[in-house]
Amino acid sequence: MEVIQKYNEDELVMMLQRQDQQAFSYLYDNYAPALNGVIFRLVSDKTLSEDILQEVFVKIWNNFSSYDKSKGRLFTWMMNLTRNLTIDTLRSKGYKKQNKISGDENSVNNLQDTNSGMDKFDAMGIRKQLSNLKPDQRIVIDLAYFNGFTQDEIAKEIGIPLGTVKTRMRTAILELRKMLQYT
Amino acid sequence: METQDIISSGLLELYAAGIASEKESLDVQQWVAQYPEVAAELKEITSSMETYANAHAITPSAGVKEKIFSRINTAENGRIIPINSLPVPGVKVINTNASWKMAAAASVALLIGSIALNIITYNKYNDADRDLLVARQTVTSLEEKNAIMEAGMSVVQNKYSVPVSLKGLEASPDAAAKIFWMQNTGEVFIDPSNLPETPAGKQYQLWGIVDGKPVDGGMILTSKKGDKFRIQKMKTFGKVEAFAVTLETEKGNPSPQGPMFVMGKM
């Protein structure tokens, strides 16, 4: 599915700072599936996931002035906001922080195959590529990126010294980048 | 720190994954601003992380977007929006809130009510108008009848009027008519109410007998169905011995041709 990219990131940010609802609609269409996927990985519940997604977007709308372009990409900011809100929700609802990432090595393939509407690439193809990622590499990425584990927590979780989390992370992401180049 | 060392440290990856400490984040931001190489590397990392996230995308249910928009629009009600956050010109934001919808619905209801009332009023007006017309016609016809009766009465009551009874003859023994002859003017009036209905194509004609000869006294209107059945003025006779009525062809004849119905002497 090909969707015409209407705004570049700078335009989008500028319009969102002016509380432009069209831009917000565009933002939702382009990022909601990815953010919903992130939430789902943490909560494993479709309804709860979508409830949190609502909160996320309302928060994005209301707090957009706090986004600082110089500190990173828009997606990174939304991603962190999403992850933090999800974790806060799980804690406030009395959920225990998950000690394991869901499904371990099968987690990538187990995700339901949905028509995500992501236009720029073939999600299925990439997932297939990602399945070649070594489990210990993927775990590092997932724990950090999706689960929001601190470096300390990651070190404990996978049983490595704190100082090597950075290098393990670097290796894993380099591997990821290499794979994505072939898609 | 050399740019290559920065890149290989893994700090950029931690930063991109959002788990760098506060101090580490500040360092990364500073390096990015300082070294284009580092900035390019961070961009690569973040975009691959985005791709990774997108690979796990799950499209939310259709209703979620509407809920979000309804919430942000509800939250905006009554809130003062700073000038710099107003929508950019040329981009239209339609923000319909509930009170406007209510107002619109109320307007429509009022309009429908008003139209219904107009129809009812218009129908009532039409009814009243029709009733008025009927009443007017009734009054007119009563006035006409009254005028006729008054005219008749004035003839009967006139102190100069001489009544002459015309009696039925062989052709119609039950028939009768009355003549009112005005002594002072010679005007002649006839009340034909006791004459039989005329057959089609025929009409009564009045004759005044003057010096033994019949003189045309005019045609009599006797249709009981019509409105002309009344005491009516005939031709004037200064001197007359008797009156007679014959049944003649329509418009009458110069001398009597048909049968004589009634006759009366002065």
Side-chain angles (χ1 to χ4, degrees):
Chain A
M1 188 167 66
E2 198 73 30
V3 173
I4 298 155
Q5 172 105 22
K6 279 160 72 185
Y7 308 113
N8 65 36
E9 193 166 312
D10 285 347
E11 286 169 347
L12 194 60
V13 167
M14 220 166 70
M15 290 173 87
L16 285 167
Q17 279 165 346
R18 290 181 179 143
Q19 302 230 303
D20 183 306
Q21 293 203 2
Q22 263 192 356
F24 190 60
S25 171
Y26 176 87
L27 186 81
Y28 180 89
D29 293 342
N30 282 272
Y31 295 102
L35 298 179
N36 193 42
V38 170
I39 302 165
F40 185 81
R41 279 180 74 101
L42 288 166
V43 303
S44 304
D45 179 288
K46 189 171 179 281
T47 312
L48 180 59
S49 174
E50 289 179 352
D51 285 350
I52 296 171
L53 186 70
Q54 260 193 63
E55 300 300 325
V56 164
F57 270 88
V58 170
K59 202 168 180 183
I60 288 172
W61 176 257
N62 289 333
N63 296 355
F64 199 81
S65 55
S66 69
Y67 168 64
D68 183 352
K69 205 170 75 176
S70 68
K71 287 184 182 172
R73 280 168 65 85
L74 178 58
F75 184 81
T76 311
W77 179 72
M78 291 195 298
M79 174 77 191
N80 290 341
L81 188 151
T82 302
R83 197 176 51 209
N84 293 339
L85 193 69
T86 308
I87 290 164
D88 286 351
T89 306
L90 287 175
R91 280 181 188 148
S92 73
K93 290 202 173 196
Y95 290 92
K96 278 191 172 179
K97 191 172 177 180
Q98 287 173 299
N99 288 325
K100 280 190 165 192
I101 61 160
S102 52
D104 283 357
E105 40 199 296
N106 289 326
S107 64
V108 170
N109 291 327
N110 275 354
L111 280 164
Q112 55 194 106
D113 180 28
T114 57
N115 180 9
S116 70
M118 295 311 299
D119 40 285
K120 285 175 243 166
F121 57 86
D122 166 22
M124 273 295 282
I126 289 167
R127 264 186 246 167
K128 209 173 165 188
Q129 287 287 327
L130 292 176
S131 65
N132 295 325
L133 207 60
K134 285 178 199 158
D136 64 331
Q137 289 172 333
R138 202 173 59 232
I139 284 167
V140 176
I141 298 173
D142 286 350
L143 285 176
Y145 199 45
F146 291 117
N147 293 46
F149 274 32
T150 63
Q151 294 175 54
D152 200 30
E153 285 167 333
I154 292 168
K156 277 179 189 156
E157 177 67 29
I158 56 178
I160 53 166
L162 180 62
T164 59
V165 173
K166 279 196 276 289
T167 48
R168 186 68 75 86
M169 190 75 166
R170 163 101 182 133
T171 317
I173 289 174
L174 274 176
E175 196 64 30
L176 173 69
R177 283 164 68 181
K178 210 158 77 187
M179 280 170 185
L180 293 176
Q181 275 172 3
Y182 297 121
T183 59
Chain B
M1 214 172 179
E2 291 296 312
T3 54
Q4 208 47 52
D5 293 337
I6 295 166
I7 288 167
S8 59
S9 70
L11 277 170
L12 299 181
E13 282 80 2
L14 290 182
Y15 183 78
I19 61 160
S21 70
E22 210 167 311
K23 191 196 166 295
E24 288 164 340
S25 296
L26 286 171
D27 285 344
V28 170
Q29 282 160 26
Q30 198 194 318
W31 294 328
V32 165
Q34 202 177 337
Y35 309 112
E37 241 183 297
V38 174
E41 176 73 6
L42 181 66
K43 204 182 165 192
E44 278 293 310
I45 294 165
T46 45
S47 81
S48 68
M49 297 297 270
E50 278 178 37
T51 308
Y52 187 62
N54 280 333
H56 301 91
I58 298 166
T59 301
S61 309
V64 177
K65 189 177 179 179
E66 281 76 9
K67 281 184 198 160
I68 291 165
F69 270 84
S70 115
R71 278 181 62 185
I72 66 166
N73 284 318
T74 308
E76 262 182 1
N77 283 346
R79 205 177 86 186
I80 295 160
I81 302 161
I83 278 292
N84 63 4
S85 72
L86 288 174
V88 281
V91 180
K92 203 172 174 185
V93 176
I94 297 162
N95 187 358
T96 317
N97 61 35
S99 63
W100 279 109
K101 283 178 187 162
M102 290 284 287
S107 302
V108 170
L110 274 175
L111 180 63
I112 291 167
S114 171
I115 290 168
L117 204 61
N118 278 337
I119 291 169
I120 292 165
T121 310
Y122 180 70
N123 285 340
K124 278 187 179 169
Y125 166 78
N126 273 348
D127 288 348
D129 205 35
R130 202 164 42 240
D131 290 349
L132 181 62
L133 200 66
V134 169
R136 275 186 182 153
Q137 282 170 347
T138 308
V139 167
T140 307
S141 86
L142 285 173
E143 276 175 350
E144 245 170 58
K145 277 184 186 168
N146 192 41
I148 290 161
M149 284 177 74
E150 274 182 3
M153 282 301 283
S154 76
V155 168
V156 171
Q157 289 171 337
N158 193 304
K159 61 177 180 180
Y160 298 108
S161 109
V162 177
V164 181
S165 288
L166 311 185
K167 303 268 194 296
L169 298 170
E170 284 161 28
S172 173
D174 293 337
K178 258 193 183 81
I179 292 289
F180 298 91
W181 179 69
M182 301 298 156
Q183 270 181 319
N184 55 340
T185 60
E187 285 171 309
V188 174
F189 297 86
I190 187 168
D191 171 15
S193 50
N194 291 306
L195 289 174
E197 280 277 335
T198 52
K202 302 279 183 178
Q203 205 171 358
Y204 290 117
Q205 191 168 0
L206 177 69
W207 305 95
I209 311 300
V210 181
D211 298 329
K213 288 177 183 172
V215 176
D216 173 36
M219 306 307 292
I220 301 163
L221 300 168
T222 55
S223 169
K224 285 180 180 172
K225 287 169 191 164
D227 57 353
K228 289 176 181 171
F229 182 71
R230 64 193 179 202
I231 292 177
Q232 49 201 274
K233 195 172 184 283
M234 307 305 291
K235 288 183 178 170
T236 300
F237 287 88
K239 184 186 164 219
V240 63
E241 293 147 25
F243 290 101
V245 172
T246 57
L247 189 65
E248 302 293 333
T249 51
E250 264 180 280
K251 309 291 179 195
N253 291 308
S255 60
Q257 311 283 319
M260 193 179 286
F261 272 68
V262 289
M263 193 188 147
K265 288 179 182 169
M266 287 293 290

